[in-house]
Structures are given as C-alpha cells and as structure tokens.
C-alpha cells in the first residue's frame, strides 16, 4: 500500500478543507506543511485559520481535492458537486493514511470502531501499547486528529474511527481492525442499518480482523471479512481463534505464545483489574487486548496496560450523593445501545432516568421495555421527547414521565431538580440519554458537565 501511494504528493495542489473543526484545521496545517495551497470553508462562521490558509465558500475553481469533515453526509450538495466535477473527496483519516504512506516506515494502524465502547477501547489499547514500550498514541475520533499523529511521527496508532470517518477513508487498510458491536445509530446519515454496518466493516479489511461475536451483526461482518486472520472476542469461555473470559481472567486462544496452556489459552489479565468493569468494560478490554496481541504485544504488557488504564469522564461516573440518592453521569450513552449498557451496569436498586436528545432515527422501544421494571420515573429532555414518552407510555405506563421544556443551561438544572423530587433514598439518578446532544448542548461532554454542575447545586 505504501508503494502504491508513494507518488501521491501534495506540493502545488489546491485543496479545499470543507469543515473547520479540530480535524479540519489539523488537516489544513499538515497540507500547508506539504506545500499545498489550502482553502478552508465551513457551514458556520470560520474560526481563525492557520497562517497561509485562505477562506473559501462553495467549491472554488481550481480545487483538485476536497478533505471533508466527518459529519458531511453523502447527500450533501458539496459532495454532489465534487462528484459532478470529478474532484476526489476524502476524510482527514484518509489524508493521514496517504501522507503516512510517504514515510520510509509508515505507522502501524490499529483501528477501533463500533457503535459503543470505541473511546474506552482505544484508550485501553494506547495504555497497553505504551506498557509494551512502544511509541504509540490514541488518535482519530477520540479527539486527537490522525493526521496530527502521523505528522508527529508516532510508530503505532491506536485509531478510533466513526462510521462517518470510515466512509470517507476508502484506502485505509489497518494492520488490525476491530468492530466491537453494531446497533442502530446514525441511520439518518447512512440511510439505514445495513449501510451503517458496511461502513463499520471497513475496519476489517486488513490482515487481522477482530469483532465482538456476542453481537450478531459484528459477528456477521467478521464472517464476511476476507482477512487472513479472523479473531472473535466474547464474554464466554473462548473457543479457537477467540479471546474470552475463563476463571475470572481474560484469556487468549487466538495468538499463541510459548506458555499457552493446551486447550485453555493464555491468561492476559484479571477481570478485577479491568476498569470500567461489567460486560461493556470487559468487552472493550478484550478488544483492546486482541489488537495489541495482533501487533505482537506480550501478555504481561496487556495486563500492565489494563491495570494502568483509567476511564475517561462521562462514562458511568458518580458525581455526588444527596439525601441518600446517588447521581451518575453517563452522558457518553449517546444511543440506545449505550444507554442499555449504562442502565444494566447500575447495581440493584431503582433508577430515575434522565433521557432524551436527538435519536437520529434510532428506535427506543426495546430499550424501554428491557428496563421498565427498574425505573421509578423518567425525566425526558431534548428535541425528540415524544419518542421516549410514547415508548414509556406503552411499556411502563405506571411510572411518571416528566418532560423538561426549558432550553440552554436551564434544561439540566430543571431535569436534575425534577429527578431529585421523584427519587427516594437508595435510588440512583442516572443521566443516560440514549441520544445525541447537539440539540441542546455542544457535545456529550458539555451535557455531562451541565449535569454534574446541576447536581452540585443541590448541596
């Protein structure tokens, strides 16, 4: 691949960076450093641009490449115009892949995708790789652009890629790639579940393909992959070519070592050392371990990396206790699949659930039906309130469902106060929205921060 792309140069080309977010600005800087003329556009007001970059609107004459932000769907007018004019459109990770191929020793890409658990898995993978003494960095959808990681010269990249990014990255062939799970999300962008799943499947085109075989769609994608080494991860005891759980340990039966126990596999780490715990955290840890083992990392480094890893914020994070009621922030639960895991992870007790936002075409019926028996009440926020309220009326008609209509900062203050009034000592108030946040907040982190601030005000 590196040789095939070796003649791909940027000097003298005119490139439009369509989208001035974090990844777009990073792409602009790297393109300028490679001698390209760089134009930058955005649907919003442009921020300060890197020195040498020029503001633009539309698709100016002379552009011969467009680097698009990940959120630009295939139906966007700019996409259609570029196609009509024969101008190639790629994403920032694809740009990073092509520029990395120009290096004498291109970096190894270990790619993580899935509907849920991507960020935790990528962080775990980075921790494991660093425990092995490798020059590794987590990048991509985790917040650090891949193109910046490539420009910095890192040898191994733990790359989180969304379905959007994979769609716009046609040439990327990971050394090893992982699909954790596939559930309804971003259906409005992709036009359906199967196109969404096929975008995820682009992570499985390398030599080693890994997938969560407890998830039916991910298991199918693995079976359909043409990878020479297919590896399943499961919370059950692992079969051949799998990593799984046995005797309270993560066990590897896919990448043999000299100390492999016949028929049982190589112990990698104790279940008790994995944070976050529970089924979602263990699945993430198995996925990270599989990618690291595919890169030749020792079992000892896997164990050390998982012990050292600490979860990021807004993932089942306790934020306070008031009058015997616990408050837990899982704002990262941006779709029903993630909210299902957040609700299931709560210990025995009754939940007052703060839920809602933008569902993006995802269905909430199964989620509500699965957890109705544990709910004391629901506080519903966001634009798509009607969908969750209707589902609650059908599957949990006995519980109060309170709608919050306030906007901006007041929405979370009101939601937390109403949740407090509904909760009883021993309950948990859980923010697990099952929806995107952009209708009322900048992102899921801002939503979680607003929740934590509102909880502090209760004191």
């Amino acid at each position: 691949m590196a040789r095939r792309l070796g003649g791909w140069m940027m000097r003298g080309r005119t490139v439009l960076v369509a989208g001035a977010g974090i990844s777009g600005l990073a792409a602009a800087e790297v393109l300028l450093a490679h001698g390209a003329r760089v134009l930058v556009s955005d649907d919003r007001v442009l921020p300060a641009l890197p020195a040498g970059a020029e503001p633009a609107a539309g698709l100016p004459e002379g552009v011969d490449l467009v680097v698009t932000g990940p959120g630009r769907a295939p139906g966007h007018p700019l996409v259609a115009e570029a196609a009509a004019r024969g101008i190639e459109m790629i994403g920032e990770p694809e740009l990073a892949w092509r520029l990395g191929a120009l290096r004498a020793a291109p970096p190894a890409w270990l790619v993580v995708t899935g509907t849920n658990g991507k960020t935790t898995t990528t962080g775990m993978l980075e921790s494991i790789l660093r425990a092995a003494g490798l020059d590794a960095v987590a990048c991509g959808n985790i917040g650090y652009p891949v193109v910046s990681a490539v420009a910095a010269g890192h040898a191994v990249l733990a790359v989180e890629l969304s379905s959007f990014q994979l769609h716009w990255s046609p040439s990327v062939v990971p050394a090893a790639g992982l699909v954790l799970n596939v559930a309804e999300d971003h259906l409005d962008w992709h036009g359906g579940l199967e196109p969404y799943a096929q975008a995820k499947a682009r992570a499985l085109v390398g030599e080693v393909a890994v997938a969560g075989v407890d998830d039916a769609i991910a298991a199918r994608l693995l079976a359909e992959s043409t990878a020479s080494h297919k590896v399943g991860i499961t919370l059950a005891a692992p079969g051949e070519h799998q990593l799984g759980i046995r005797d309270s340990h993560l066990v590897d039966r896919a990448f043999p070592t000299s100390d492999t126990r016949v028929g049982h596999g190589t112990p990698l780490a104790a279940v008790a050392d994995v944070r976050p715990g529970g089924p979602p955290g263990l699945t993430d840890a198995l996925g990270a371990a599989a990618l690291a083992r595919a890169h030749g990392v020792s079992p000892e480094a896997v164990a050390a990396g998982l012990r050292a890893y600490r979860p990021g914020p807004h993932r089942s994070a306790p934020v306070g206790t008031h009058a015997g009621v616990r408050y837990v922030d899982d704002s990262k639960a941006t779709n029903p699949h993630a909210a299902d895991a957040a609700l299931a992870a709560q210990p025995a007790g009754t939940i007052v659930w703060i839920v809602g936002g933008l569902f993006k075409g995802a269905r909430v019926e199964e989620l509500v039906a699965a957890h109705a028996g544990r709910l004391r009440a629901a506080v519903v926020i966001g634009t798509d309130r009607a969908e969750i309220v209707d589902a609650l009326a059908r599957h949990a008609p006995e519980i109060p469902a309170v709608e919050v209509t306030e906007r901006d900062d007041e929405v979370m203050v009101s939601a937390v106060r109403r949740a407090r009034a509904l909760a009883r000592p021993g309950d948990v108030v859980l923010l697990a929205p099952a929806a995107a946040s952009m209708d009322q907040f900048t992102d899921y982190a801002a939503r979680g921060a607003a929740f934590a601030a509102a909880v502090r005000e209760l004191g």
Side-chain angles (χ1 to χ4, degrees):
M1 182 61 66
R3 286 191 292 272
R4 185 173 74 81
L5 293 175
W8 194 81
M9 304 294 290
M10 294 309 307
R11 186 165 300 280
R13 299 187 69 175
T14 298
V15 183
L16 173 66
V17 176
I22 294 173
S23 63
L25 295 178
E29 290 181 356
V30 171
L31 286 164
L32 288 165
H34 280 260
R37 180 190 176 205
V38 178
L39 311 178
V40 181
S41 68
D42 201 293
D43 293 336
R44 300 163 298 178
V45 176
L46 282 172
L49 300 181
E54 307 168 39
L59 185 55
E61 292 298 323
V63 168
D64 57 16
L65 177 69
V66 177
V67 178
T68 180
R72 185 163 283 103
H76 192 282
L78 181 64
V79 178
E81 184 178 357
R85 290 168 53 180
I87 300 172
E88 186 179 22
M89 180 173 285
I90 64 174
E92 173 264 322
E94 174 75 11
L95 175 67
W97 173 261
R98 298 187 187 188
L99 294 178
L102 302 178
R103 286 170 42 179
W109 286 48
L110 305 177
V111 169
V112 178
T113 195
T115 302
N116 296 301
K118 297 186 295 295
T119 300
T120 298
T121 303
T122 305
M124 288 175 168
L125 176 59
E126 178 190 50
S127 183
I128 293 169
L129 295 169
R130 290 184 173 179
L134 298 172
D135 174 22
V137 67
C139 57
N141 199 49
I142 204 166
Y144 180 46
V146 194
V147 74
S148 300
V150 169
H154 294 289
V156 188
L157 308 181
V159 189
E160 177 187 327
L161 292 180
S162 69
S163 59
F164 304 161
Q165 291 170 313
L166 285 161
H167 175 88
W168 292 117
S169 301
S171 301
V172 171
V173 180
L178 163 68
V179 176
L180 286 161
N181 44 58
V182 180
E184 289 187 341
D185 200 13
H186 305 301
L187 303 189
D188 51 349
W189 199 96
H190 290 281
L193 181 59
E194 187 58 23
Y196 171 62
Q198 291 305 315
K200 294 292 189 187
R202 292 192 178 190
L204 305 180
V205 299
E207 182 177 348
V208 181
V210 184
V213 295
D214 296 338
D215 180 279
I217 298 178
R220 172 173 63 83
L221 297 179
L222 181 64
E224 294 171 351
S225 169
T226 59
S228 58
H229 192 181
K230 300 181 185 181
V231 178
I233 57 171
T234 175
L235 294 176
E240 191 176 4
H241 307 302
Q242 291 186 341
L243 279 72
I245 307 293
R246 182 190 292 276
D247 298 330
S248 299
H249 281 76
L250 281 65
V251 175
D252 175 8
R253 291 191 62 194
F255 303 97
T257 61
S258 59
D259 61 350
T260 296
R261 302 174 186 176
V262 176
H264 293 282
T266 305
L268 298 177
V271 165
D273 288 339
V274 175
R275 287 176 297 271
L282 291 171
T283 299
D284 298 344
L286 288 164
L291 291 179
R293 296 286 285 141
H295 193 65
V297 170
S298 71
E300 294 77 15
V302 172
L306 290 175
R307 282 195 302 269
Y309 176 73
R310 295 294 181 273
H314 312 300
R315 296 165 178 83
S316 291
V319 296
T321 299
H322 296 275
V325 176
R326 295 185 302 111
Y327 293 79
V328 176
D329 167 19
D330 207 315
S331 184
K332 188 68 168 65
T334 57
N335 54 62
H337 190 266
D340 176 67
L343 288 158
Q346 299 309 309
T350 306
I351 298 168
V352 177
W353 184 22
I354 300 180
V355 57
L358 291 172
F359 288 112
K360 303 173 294 182
R363 294 172 294 183
V364 296
E365 292 285 333
E366 292 183 6
L367 173 67
V368 173
H371 297 281
R374 296 191 61 195
L375 300 178
R376 184 180 299 282
V379 178
V380 186
I381 64 174
T383 298
D384 296 337
R385 294 190 304 276
E387 295 180 40
I388 194 76
V389 169
D390 290 347
L392 287 163
R394 283 190 291 275
H395 298 287
E398 71 284 359
I399 74 162
V402 179
E403 293 188 64
V404 175
T405 58
E406 289 86 348
R407 303 192 63 82
D408 302 322
D409 293 341
E410 292 303 314
V411 62
M412 198 57 76
V413 172
S414 179
V416 168
R417 287 176 178 171
R418 295 185 190 197
R420 177 186 61 178
L422 292 162
R424 300 291 180 268
D427 288 353
V428 58
V429 171
L430 173 66
L431 172 67
S437 58
M438 289 80 73
D439 56 335
Q440 294 178 310
F441 301 93
T442 304
D443 51 27
Y444 77 83
R447 180 171 59 189
F451 174 74
V455 172
R456 288 194 296 270
E457 290 184 9
L458 298 178

